[in-house]
């Protein structure tokens, strides 16, 4: 599989994408922060498939940009893992045609930049409360990537469930004309949700990290056996994650779209966890039966 074309300059990227779109080419986009794993690659393979849906070859695009505006002042922006050469090879194998990787944030946020995307409800609670400004940064950069890339469809992972809901809301509310599609969480063999941040874990921490997906799986089993009390299910998840030596940031059972906490779990109720393992913040979620 050949390497995708690498473009550094957002303006050059926009010219290419606009010409393709105006020429009737179907465009699929996968925005990422790089250090790619199988979760990212599942999105890219689906982008390839959806780009080609129109009966002639479309354009499958990926972006690699560690977006500074979605990191808090004490978060891991400076040490976020990077491997552009490795990422390009993986993109090529997943059928990506072109990769935008701006080489500095100033290319994306010029000096006079002053427009932000904000939300009234969907970004409240969960990660929105624990990471102030996070979704404002995510939504703003994705809005820019949509404007630069002119996609018909964009693929995001369910691993970042609240992010997916935020971006689906944005695309509808701001009439962006982009179909925002969620893709299932890709997991390691033992169940740990794949994440670029898993690279931070020591081997010993990596062993304990599986407690999060196990706890969620236990909650799913208990819900399937008839436990409907959201507080009881949350307590079970929290206890299991803490027993593995992690500091729980939140455990919540919420309505899958509105993201408001529920008292009684019903089919589709989403259980979400964020927890610190050492300095590493891990998130995971699943749907209850
Ligand atoms: P990131 O590079 O972490 O910003 O992630 C880029 C995209 O990949 C987002 O839409 C994520 O939700 C998605 N993603 C990350 N990890 C996974 C995973 N384990 N399974 C599926 N999608 C994922």
């Amino acid at each position: 599989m050949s390497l995708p074309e690498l473009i550094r300059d957002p303006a050059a990227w926009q010219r290419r994408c606009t010409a393709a779109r105006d020429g009737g080419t179907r465009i699929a986009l996968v925005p990422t922060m790089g250090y790619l794993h199988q979760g990212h690659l599942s999105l890219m393979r689906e982008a390839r498939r959806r780009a080609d849906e129109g009966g002639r070859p479309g354009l499958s695009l990926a972006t690699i940009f560690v977006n500074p505006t979605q990191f808090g002042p004490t978060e891991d922006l400076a040490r976020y893992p990077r491997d552009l050469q490795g990422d390009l090879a993986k993109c090529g194998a997943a059928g990506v045609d072109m990769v935008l990787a701006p080489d500095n944030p100033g290319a994306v946020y010029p000096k006079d930049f002053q427009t932000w995307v904000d939300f009234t409800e969907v970004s409240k609670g969960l990660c929105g409360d624990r990471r102030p400004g996070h979704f404002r940064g995510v939504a703003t950069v994705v809005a820019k990537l949509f404007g630069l890339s002119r996609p018909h469809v964009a693929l995001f992972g369910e691993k970042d469930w609240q992010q997916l809901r935020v971006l689906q809301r944005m695309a509808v509310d701001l009439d962006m004309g982009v179909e925002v599609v969620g893709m299932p969480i890709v997991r390691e063999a033992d169940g740990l949700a794949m994440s670029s941040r898993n690279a931070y874990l020591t081997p010993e921490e990596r062993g304990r990290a599986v407690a999060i997906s196990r706890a969620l799986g236990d909650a799913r089993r208990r819900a399937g056996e008839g436990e409907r009390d959201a507080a009881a299910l949350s307590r079970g998840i929290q206890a299991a994650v803490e027993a593995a030596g992690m500091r729980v940031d939140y455990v919540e059972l919420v309505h899958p779209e509105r993201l408001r906490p529920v008292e009684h779990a019903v089919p589709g109720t989403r259980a979400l966890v964020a927890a610190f393992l050492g300095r590493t913040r891990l998130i995971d979620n699943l749907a209850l039966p």
Side-chain angles (χ1 to χ4, degrees):
M1 192 65 73
S2 56
L3 283 182
E5 183 179 351
L6 171 64
I7 297 182
R8 292 294 203 168
D9 174 24
W13 174 268
Q14 188 179 42
R15 283 193 295 276
R16 290 287 295 278
C17 296
T18 300
R21 174 101 189 199
D22 291 350
T25 300
R26 196 172 153 75
I27 302 179
L29 172 71
V30 178
T32 81
M33 297 204 298
Y35 212 72
L36 303 178
H37 52 65
Q38 287 298 327
H40 298 115
L41 302 185
S42 74
L43 272 50
M44 291 172 186
R45 285 190 290 267
E46 179 66 8
R48 176 76 270 159
R49 201 184 67 71
R50 286 178 178 256
D52 296 342
E53 247 172 9
R56 65 176 174 117
L59 199 53
S60 175
L61 306 177
T63 63
I64 297 177
F65 177 57
V66 181
N67 172 40
T69 67
Q70 70 190 70
F71 288 78
T74 62
E75 293 182 352
D76 56 344
L77 173 62
R79 64 187 185 113
Y80 198 85
R82 294 161 207 249
D83 175 19
L84 184 58
Q85 288 315 313
D87 286 350
L88 290 175
K90 290 173 186 170
C91 287
V96 174
D97 297 309
M98 294 198 316
V99 171
L100 171 67
D103 41 18
N104 75 86
V108 178
Y109 298 103
K111 265 209 299 294
D112 54 353
F113 183 83
Q114 47 187 298
T115 304
W116 298 90
V117 179
D118 234 321
F119 302 86
T120 50
E121 278 177 48
V122 67
S123 76
K124 306 290 182 282
L126 305 166
C127 288
D129 281 2
R130 274 66 175 197
R131 305 183 68 189
H134 172 65
F135 288 120
R136 180 182 192 250
V138 168
T140 301
V141 82
V142 170
K144 286 173 69 70
L145 293 171
F146 284 1
L148 290 169
S149 313
R150 311 279 317 277
H152 295 81
V153 57
L155 293 299
F156 296 88
E158 291 183 350
K159 156 128 186 302
D160 301 275
W161 184 262
Q162 190 176 19
Q163 167 176 285
L164 175 63
R165 304 308 317 179
V166 159
L167 296 176
Q168 286 177 327
R169 198 66 258 160
M170 173 183 80
V172 170
D173 287 352
L174 298 183
D175 307 307
M176 290 176 159
V178 180
E179 185 190 356
V180 173
V181 174
M183 292 289 292
I185 302 175
V186 177
R187 299 178 177 282
E188 302 286 354
D190 66 357
L192 175 66
M194 290 193 184
S195 166
S196 307
R197 289 190 168 96
N198 292 349
Y200 296 147
L201 301 173
T202 66
E204 187 274 330
E205 289 172 337
R206 172 63 189 82
R208 287 189 282 135
V210 68
I212 296 176
S213 57
R214 290 229 174 103
L216 284 167
D218 284 347
R220 177 168 54 194
R221 182 182 48 75
R222 284 179 69 193
E225 289 165 2
E227 177 61 83
R228 294 282 133 206
D229 181 11
L233 291 167
S234 294
R235 275 198 304 276
I237 297 170
Q238 170 134 8
V241 172
E242 285 176 351
M246 283 178 253
R247 181 164 66 77
V248 168
D249 202 16
Y250 62 74
V251 173
E252 285 195 48
L253 269 59
V254 304
H255 183 281
E257 269 115 55
R258 296 175 46 244
L259 304 184
R260 310 313 291 173
V262 298
E263 280 181 28
H264 301 287
V266 296
T269 294
R270 208 86 194 174
L272 298 99
V273 176
F276 285 93
L277 180 43
R279 289 165 70 201
T280 306
R281 187 173 182 276
L282 301 174
I283 60 172
D284 198 350
N285 69 87
L286 54 69
L288 297 179

